[in-house]
């Protein structure tokens, strides 16, 4: 038995894939080790748990998610972060400690402020004589103020 961390990492450059593995090192240190010039972005630690037998738990999780495995020789799976965490927590009954990243809050987008100008009618009718005008402010016949 090897006490260690079973972790879930994500990477924006590997959309749709998560890495599920184990390490005896702190997961943040393992994520930094995986950063290389061949992957454009850093790995993000989404979840980890500390267990007494990390290699066995990792193998059990990989077996449970075998249908979603990207390649048989890699620890990448086509599952959501939530599904990966759920699988680990279902199988890791004796977790000593676990941690989950809190995703950043997404504030709803603020709609742009658009002032809607009142629509002016193309012409207006004088209430006194019934004549129609396109741009006048007063009826020249009745001297009544036109209501646009």
């Amino acid at each position: 038995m090897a006490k260690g961390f079973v972790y879930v990492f994500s990477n924006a450059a590997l959309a749709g894939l998560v890495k599920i593995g184990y390490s005896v090192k702190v997961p943040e240190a393992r994520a930094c080790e995986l950063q290389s010039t061949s992957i454009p972005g850093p790995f993000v630690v989404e979840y980890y748990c500390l267990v007494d037998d990390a290699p066995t738990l990792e193998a059990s999780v990989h077996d449970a998610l075998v249908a979603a495995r990207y390649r048989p020789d890699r620890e990448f799976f086509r599952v959501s972060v939530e599904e990966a965490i759920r699988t680990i927590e279902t199988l890791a009954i004796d977790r000593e400690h676990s941690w989950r990243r809190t995703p950043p809050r997404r504030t709803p987008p603020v709609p742009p402020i658009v002032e809607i100008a009142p629509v002016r009618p193309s012409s207006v009718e004088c209430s006194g004589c019934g004549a129609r005008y396109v741009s006048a402010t007063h009826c020249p016949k009745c001297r009544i103020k036109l209501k646009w």
Side-chain angles (χ1 to χ4, degrees):
M1 280 203 297
K3 188 171 192 168
F5 298 93
V6 174
Y7 58 77
V8 177
F9 293 166
S10 67
N11 189 311
L14 305 171
L17 294 174
V18 295
K19 177 171 174 39
I20 303 170
Y22 92 90
S23 176
V24 293
K25 299 178 183 179
V26 176
E28 288 83 358
R30 179 67 179 134
C32 288
E33 286 177 352
L34 294 172
Q35 176 108 15
S36 69
T37 56
S38 62
I39 296 179
F43 280 94
V44 175
V45 179
E46 298 288 350
Y47 171 87
Y48 64 80
C49 65
L50 179 61
V51 293
D52 285 331
D53 193 359
T56 302
L57 176 59
E58 179 204 40
S60 298
V61 172
H62 289 184
D63 288 344
L65 297 172
V66 70
R69 197 163 193 162
Y70 184 68
R71 278 181 40 186
D73 61 337
R74 298 285 184 254
E75 297 177 329
F76 292 94
F77 297 84
R78 285 197 184 282
V79 295
S80 66
V81 169
E82 293 76 23
E83 185 177 348
I85 293 170
R86 216 175 12 256
T87 304
I88 293 169
E89 289 185 341
T90 300
L91 297 170
I93 303 165
D94 59 345
R95 295 184 307 270
E96 185 176 316
H97 170 75
S98 63
W99 176 88
R100 176 187 300 226
R101 181 176 80 92
T102 304
R105 285 190 175 184
R106 292 187 178 162
T107 55
V110 177
I113 299 173
V114 178
E115 291 188 28
I116 299 173
V119 178
R120 184 175 172 164
S122 57
S123 65
V124 66
E125 186 177 310
C126 173
S127 59
C129 67
R132 294 199 75 68
Y133 299 97
V134 179
S135 63
T137 56
H138 289 81
C139 177
K141 297 177 189 172
C142 308
R143 306 255 189 252
I144 296 175
K145 184 174 182 179
L146 300 173
K147 293 185 181 178
W148 287 91

